């Protein structure tokens, strides 16, 4: 079948000369016969490969524990998920591209079907996955890995395949506010009309204090001091008491003083009522909005709250962009982290955007959790290819271009990210010469 056809083609084309190209073939071959032989062999291999379905020899690794929704396993242990199906399609594109190249060594390596995925425990951690690649235990590895500049020093990255970033996940069911939260939420909730009523009350009370002192200072009741400062203060004190509880321990005795006090009480009903209503309205609406609008819109809003995550990179990121958040509660896996959030052990959970979208849509958390605000620290998903003996993998140029073919045709393009971003970020210096040439040519 496929193996025999490859041996025939290799024997006829290479003629025992190792890996020499067609240009180095013996001159005894009839002109134009080499392309014809190459086309015949490639066609034969494609036909036989389509029938036999010989899997490739590439070692493709992923995380056995899974990373929803990128990599998951069913009850039979079979891998599925967004990234698994995506790579299967990319591999089909790779097979077609390699078949057109006529490179028999690469054709044999890629095969006619995708080899089975190999699961490794712990590969949901990008560092563990890159260790496998660096140790040459796998040729390709993926499990929801971000394409980051420092990782390109270890392995060659694919082009960006899916835009992502960090998200804040919080409870959709508001907690009852504490007394301190009620107090602090009152001040920003006061409407401009309430501020106006308060300022008007203060101004009028100062005017009334002077007027009532002038009217009552000639009496011998002793309720208002004879000096300016003492008399005006007594008048202002009476104004404040009259505005809230009516007459107190200071009352006017003159006819003019009584008229002014009656007018003052009537005026303060309007001012004090408007001010009190504004505070009440702000208090009620602020806490009603808590049930509909999340309290978290930007990372700075997490300061003072209990924040958790299940991947260590979140702590480093938060320390850089918002150090005031402090130490995160670290969980061992995603399921425990979301269960803890649903119980109220933490107020907000930092997660990947795609993972967060998947988790909050699950039946267990439907209507209980929501993604708050906008995502931050935008990045992209991709996979990594090993560098055997520090050299670019032979399949990397074909795989890289297969990803580009796939992204341009079947994947909705991630228009705001591209390979040039990594070049500007300094990743190019970490890539091998062959990888740099591929990026420039692309």
């Amino acid at each position: 079948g496929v193996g025999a056809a490859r041996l025939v083609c290799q024997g006829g084309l290479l003629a025992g000369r190792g890996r020499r190209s067609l240009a180095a073939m013996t001159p005894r071959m009839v002109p134009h016969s080499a392309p014809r032989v190459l086309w015949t062999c490639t066609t034969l291999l494609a036909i036989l490969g389509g029938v036999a379905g010989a899997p490739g020899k590439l070692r493709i690794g992923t995380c056995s524990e899974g990373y929803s929704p990128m990599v998951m396993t069913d009850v039979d242990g079979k891998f599925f998920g967004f990234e698994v199906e995506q790579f299967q399609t990319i591999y089909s594109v790779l097979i077609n591209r390699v078949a057109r190249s006529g490179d028999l060594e690469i054709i044999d390596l890629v095969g006619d079907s995708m080899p089975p995925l190999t699961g490794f425990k712990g590969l949901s951690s990008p560092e563990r996955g890159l260790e496998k690649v660096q140790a040459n235990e796998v040729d390709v590895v993926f499990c929801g890995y971000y394409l980051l500049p420092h990782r390109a020093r270890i392995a060659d990255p694919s082009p960006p395949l899916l835009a992502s970033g960090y998200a804040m996940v919080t409870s959709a069911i508001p907690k009852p506010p504490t007394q301190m939260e009620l107090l602090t939420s009152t001040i920003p909730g006061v409407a401009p009309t309430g501020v106006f009523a308060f300022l008007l009350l203060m101004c009028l009370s100062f005017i009334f204090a002077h007027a009532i002192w002038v009217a009552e200072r000639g009496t011998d009741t002793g309720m208002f001091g004879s000096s300016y400062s003492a008399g005006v203060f007594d008048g202002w004190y009476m104004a404040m008491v009259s505005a809230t509880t009516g007459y107190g321990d200071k009352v006017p005795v003159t006819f003019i003083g009584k008229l002014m006090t009656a007018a003052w009480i009537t005026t303060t009903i309007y001012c004090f009522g408007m001010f009190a209503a504004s505070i009440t309205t702000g208090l009620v609406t602020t806490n009603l909005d808590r049930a509909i609008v999340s309290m978290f819109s930007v990372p700075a809003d997490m300061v003072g709250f209990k924040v958790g995550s299940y991947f260590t990179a979140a702590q480093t990121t938060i320390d850089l962009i918002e150090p005031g958040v402090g130490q995160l509660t670290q969980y061992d896996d995603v399921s425990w982290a979301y269960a803890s959030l649903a119980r109220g052990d933490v107020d907000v959970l930092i997660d990947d955007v795609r993972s967060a979208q998947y988790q909050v849509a699950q039946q267990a958390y439907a209507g209980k959790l929501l993604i708050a605000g906008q995502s931050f620290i935008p990045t992209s998903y991709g996979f990594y290819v090993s560098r055997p003996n520090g050299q670019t993998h032979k399949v990397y140029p074909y795989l890289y271009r297969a990803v580009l073919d796939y992204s341009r045709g079947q994947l909705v393009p991630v228009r705001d990210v591209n390979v040039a971003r990594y070049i500007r970020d300094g990743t190019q210096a970490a890539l091998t010469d062959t990888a740099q040439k591929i990026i420039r040519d692309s």
Side-chain angles (χ1 to χ4, degrees):
V2 177
R6 288 196 176 107
L7 289 175
V8 171
C9 290
Q10 290 172 353
L13 289 177
L14 303 181
R17 297 176 182 266
R19 298 180 179 178
R20 296 186 182 181
S21 64
L22 290 175
M25 295 300 296
T26 172
R28 290 178 293 178
M29 297 188 75
V30 180
H32 307 297
S33 63
R36 188 178 300 113
V37 173
L38 175 61
W39 180 87
T40 302
C41 289
T42 303
T43 304
L44 178 62
L45 288 171
I47 294 174
L48 292 177
V51 175
K57 299 178 180 179
L58 288 175
R59 300 163 299 171
I60 305 172
T62 188
C63 48
S64 60
E65 65 273 21
Y67 178 66
S68 305
M70 300 300 168
V71 179
M72 296 175 282
T73 54
D74 58 19
V75 292
D76 298 324
K78 183 179 179 181
F79 289 104
F80 72 100
F82 175 83
E83 207 165 21
V84 174
E85 297 176 4
Q86 176 180 255
F87 193 83
Q88 290 171 345
T89 306
I90 291 173
Y91 204 92
S92 300
V93 178
L94 173 66
I95 294 173
N96 295 331
R97 175 171 280 279
V98 168
R100 294 195 302 268
S101 72
D103 190 326
L104 297 179
E105 183 180 6
I106 301 299
I107 290 176
D108 182 67
L109 182 62
V110 172
D112 305 297
S113 63
M114 178 176 161
L117 291 175
T118 302
F120 295 91
K121 187 173 179 58
L123 256 64
S124 57
S125 167
E127 287 71 25
R128 293 286 300 277
L130 292 175
E131 287 175 2
K132 292 286 184 183
V133 170
Q134 196 170 22
N136 200 30
E137 297 182 30
V138 293
D139 298 306
V140 183
V141 66
F142 62 84
C143 186
Y145 295 164
Y146 287 162
L147 296 175
L148 301 177
H150 70 274
R151 293 175 181 169
R153 301 186 184 99
I154 301 174
D156 288 325
S158 71
L161 285 169
L162 180 67
S164 189
Y166 288 80
M168 297 177 290
V169 186
T170 185
S171 175
I173 305 173
K175 293 182 179 179
T178 63
Q179 293 182 352
M180 182 57 67
E181 289 175 340
L182 285 173
L183 178 62
T184 55
S185 65
T186 300
I187 298 174
V190 177
T193 54
V195 177
F196 168 76
F198 177 77
L199 294 177
L200 179 62
L201 185 65
M202 291 297 101
C203 292
L204 292 178
S205 67
F206 185 72
I207 296 173
F208 174 78
H210 284 76
I212 197 67
W213 173 65
V214 171
E216 298 293 324
R217 65 179 176 176
T219 62
D220 57 357
T221 58
M223 290 195 180
F224 298 91
S226 57
S227 65
Y228 172 77
S229 57
V232 170
F233 177 77
D234 288 337
W236 181 82
Y237 170 75
M238 176 186 167
M240 291 296 99
V241 172
S242 302
T244 56
T245 60
Y247 280 103
D249 57 337
K250 294 187 181 297
V251 294
V253 295
T254 65
F255 178 75
I256 297 297
K258 292 178 180 179
L259 285 179
M260 287 191 298
T261 301
W264 165 252
I265 293 175
T266 304
T267 304
T268 57
I269 291 175
Y270 167 80
C271 295
F272 193 83
M274 182 182 293
F275 177 68
S278 177
I279 292 179
T280 305
T281 302
L283 182 63
V284 172
T285 56
T286 298
N287 288 281
L288 284 177
D289 289 343
R290 290 163 65 105
I292 304 172
V293 182
S294 171
M295 297 172 60
F296 307 101
S297 57
V298 294
D301 295 334
M302 294 187 290
V303 176
F305 290 89
K306 293 181 291 184
V307 184
S309 186
Y310 61 91
F311 55 98
T312 55
Q315 182 68 67
T316 305
T317 302
I318 289 299
D319 290 342
L320 290 174
I321 65 172
E322 195 55 57
V325 174
Q327 186 67 32
L328 305 184
T329 301
Q330 200 69 38
Y331 295 97
D332 293 333
D333 59 70
V334 59
S335 58
W336 182 252
Y338 274 88
S340 181
L341 176 63
R343 287 195 306 267
D345 297 339
V346 291
D347 299 309
V348 60
L349 191 69
I350 299 177
D351 194 6
D352 170 73
V353 170
R354 304 300 176 180
S355 175
Q357 291 172 340
Y358 176 82
Q359 295 294 338
V360 299
Q362 298 305 300
Q363 185 175 2
Y365 303 123
K368 299 178 181 178
L369 303 179
L370 57 84
I371 299 176
Q374 299 294 322
S375 61
F376 55 100
I377 312 295
T379 183
S380 300
Y381 281 116
F383 57 83
Y384 287 90
V385 183
S386 67
R387 295 173 180 163
N389 301 319
Q391 302 297 317
T392 300
H393 199 289
K394 294 177 182 179
V395 81
Y396 180 67
Y398 300 96
L399 188 55
Y400 193 100
R401 292 191 178 277
V403 172
L404 294 180
D405 291 343
Y406 169 70
S407 298
R408 292 165 182 165
Q410 301 178 38
L411 182 69
V412 176
V414 185
R415 303 187 185 278
D416 57 336
V417 290
N418 49 52
V419 179
R421 185 180 78 171
Y422 297 94
I423 297 175
R424 289 196 299 269
D425 286 347
T427 308
Q428 184 178 10
L431 298 175
T432 60
D433 293 338
T434 303
Q436 292 182 31
K437 184 177 184 301
I438 294 170
I439 294 175
R440 289 195 299 270
D441 293 344
S442 299

